[in-house]
């Protein structure tokens, strides 16, 4: 039984991993708050609304000093805020505020508001930390600063400056410092009264407090209506932030850049056939674009994670998944040439991309030529990475004379003599057995289904 | 109630210590004081928003505090049970 590397800050409890299951241990110090959570009806209200992860209390006498041991519903894929698109982070922020409002109506409040406590389950943001509640006290909200750093600041930066600034959450695990956000935001952001209040004036107040001599803080009762008004105004601040994903080259890829009318339809048929052969439970679609092929996997019953490096693609993919109520598709932002590293204390608080539960099948469609030609990654290394991920691989080979591959070579010297179909098959055959290989209609592209030789 | 300055200081220090002991995250002095500073404003905002809510409810419109994700129809459910569903932390 291992204690999770991310679970050490909150004295209320901790998470352990046992035989592939994650359990949450409640310490006696949290007993009173846990009983309030259960007896006030808050836990029920939140799980009914899909805002809090459901759990069962289980008997584990082998865990010493536990008040309770909880087995929560398991999350198929843990993702982090720096991997979310704008609307994913916005929905997570609104879910956090909805949880706080429901908690307050049950005489409780969130004691923290970190974006890392939210995960996407069945396509929807849910709070996974059952021990995040405490009895409501008429004091300023302890999690106010954290909410602004984890949600409001990155959302404002993504909305008003650049969607790529969501990655700032990767630099500072306790959220984007408000003073930094205030510096990076354009001047017009001050015209937004909610941002003026919760970001700019809030940041100034923090800086003023940091400079002020240390003296006792006068603790007064904080009126409930002010507390409720604070949550309402944070909700207005979040709702007022929007980002319309532009139709980037990638987002319009299937409509404009792929030649041949039957290409996409035939490729879909081949992928559906591969899925039928493998019957995967988990699929990772690398370079998924807006998720056209991820959806075939999700519809076939696989829990599918759809990775792309373009924020516009991930946003469009998520909005479509949300619109259609897709429960098995999780679009995420991931640059395969520089994927999420292990972060935090002792590199153990946030998992690297490769530390997360492995898929049964990897889809790498229209990807290898970008890695090989645009990023100079040798074919053998691409094969090596794919073999580390999972036992099955569906990969597309795009030859150099393909119009899209030619585009990559338009203004650069062709130093890629080894980029041929024969060499591709040779390199991948070192690690995989080719089970199936098909030419996609109306193109020179080849689709392979491969099975890993050694784990 | 009249309190002499010594008692007041002790009271304030005790209350602050109590607060620190109960909260596991540091609320930050700036964030804490800022909320006190804008308490009147947020209280006023709440007053107006509750009037707005009442008026809307008269016309049968209730504001939703849930992100739109939950209102969408559910597709491809129930999820197939994955072999060893992952992690929670």
């Amino acid at each position: 039984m291992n204690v999770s590397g991310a679970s050490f800050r909150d004295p209320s409890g901790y998470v352990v991993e046992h035989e592939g299951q994650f359990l949450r241990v409640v310490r006696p110090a949290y007993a009173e708050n846990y009983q309030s959570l259960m007896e006030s009806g808050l836990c029920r209200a939140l799980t009914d609304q899909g805002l809090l992860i459901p759990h069962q209390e289980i008997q584990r006498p082998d865990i010493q000093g536990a008040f309770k041991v909880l087995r929560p519903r398991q999350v198929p894929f843990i993702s982090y805020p720096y991997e979310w698109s704008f609307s994913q982070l916005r929905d997570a922020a609104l879910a956090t505020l909805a949880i706080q409002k429901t908690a307050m109506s049950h005489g409780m409040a969130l004691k923290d508001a970190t974006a890392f406590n939210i995960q996407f389950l069945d396509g929807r943001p849910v709070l996974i930390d059952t021990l995040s509640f405490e009895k409501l006290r008429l004091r300023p909200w302890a999690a106010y600063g954290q909410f602004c750093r984890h949600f409001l600041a990155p959302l404002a930066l993504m909305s008003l400056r650049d969607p790529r600034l969501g990655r700032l959450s990767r630099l500072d695990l306790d959220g984007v410092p408000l003073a930094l956000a205030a510096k990076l935001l354009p001047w017009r952001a001050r015209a937004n009264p909610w941002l003026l209040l919760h970001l700019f004036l809030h940041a100034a107040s923090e800086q003023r407090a940091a400079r002020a001599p240390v003296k006792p803080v006068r603790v007064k009762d904080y009126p409930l209506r002010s507390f409720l008004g604070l949550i309402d105004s944070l909700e207005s601040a979040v709702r007022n932030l929007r980002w319309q994903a532009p139709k980037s080259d990638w987002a319009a890829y299937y409509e404009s850049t792929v030649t041949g009318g039957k290409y996409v339809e035939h490729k879909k048929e081949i992928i559906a056939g591969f899925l039928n052969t493998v019957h995967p439970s988990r699929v990772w679609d690398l370079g998924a674009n807006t998720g056209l092929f991820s959806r075939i996997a999700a519809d076939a019953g696989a829990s599918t994670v759809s990775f792309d490096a373009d924020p516009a693609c991930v946003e469009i993919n998520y909005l479509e998944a949300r619109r259609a109520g897709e429960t098995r598709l999780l679009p995420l932002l991931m640059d395969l040439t520089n994927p999420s590293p292990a972060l935090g204390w002792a590199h153990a608080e946030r998992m690297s991309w490769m530390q997360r539960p492995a898929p049964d099948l990897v889809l790498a469609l229209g990807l290898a030529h970008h890695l090989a030609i645009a990023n100079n990654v040798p074919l053998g290394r691409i094969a090596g990475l794919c073999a580390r991920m999972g036992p099955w691989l569906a990969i597309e080979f795009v030859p150099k004379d393909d119009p899209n591959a030619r585009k990559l070579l338009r203004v650069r010297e062709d130093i890629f003599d080894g980029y041929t179909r024969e060499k591709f098959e040779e390199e991948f055959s070192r690690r995989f057995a080719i089970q199936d290989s098909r030419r996609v209609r109306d193109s020179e592209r080849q689709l392979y289904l491969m099975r890993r030789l050694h784990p | 109630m009249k309190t002499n300055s010594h008692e007041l200081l002790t009271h304030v220090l005790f209350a602050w210590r109590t607060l620190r002991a109960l909260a596991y995250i540091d609320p930050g002095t700036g964030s804490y004081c800022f909320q006190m500073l804008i308490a009147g404003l947020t209280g006023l905002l709440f007053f107006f928003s509750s009037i707005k809510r009442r008026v809307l409810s008269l016309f049968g419109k209730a504001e939703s505090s849930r992100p739109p994700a939950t209102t969408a129809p559910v597709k491809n459910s129930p999820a197939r049970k994955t072999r060893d569903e992952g992690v929670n932390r």
Side-chain angles (χ1 to χ4, degrees), chain B residues 66-89:
Chain B
R66 188 70 180 88
T70 56
T71 55
V74 172
K75 202 188 154 197
N76 60 33
S77 180
R80 177 192 283 184
K81 194 120 180 89
T82 51
R83 226 182 21 223
D84 53 345
E85 285 195 330
V87 289
N88 284 312
R89 47 192 56 195

Side-chain angles (χ1 to χ4, degrees), chain B residues 44-62:
Chain B
L44 206 63
L45 287 170
F46 181 71
F47 174 70
F48 286 118
S49 66
S50 39
I51 289 177
K52 188 179 150 194
R53 265 193 285 263
R54 269 181 211 167
V55 171
L56 283 174
S57 69
L58 280 180
F59 294 96
K61 289 179 185 174

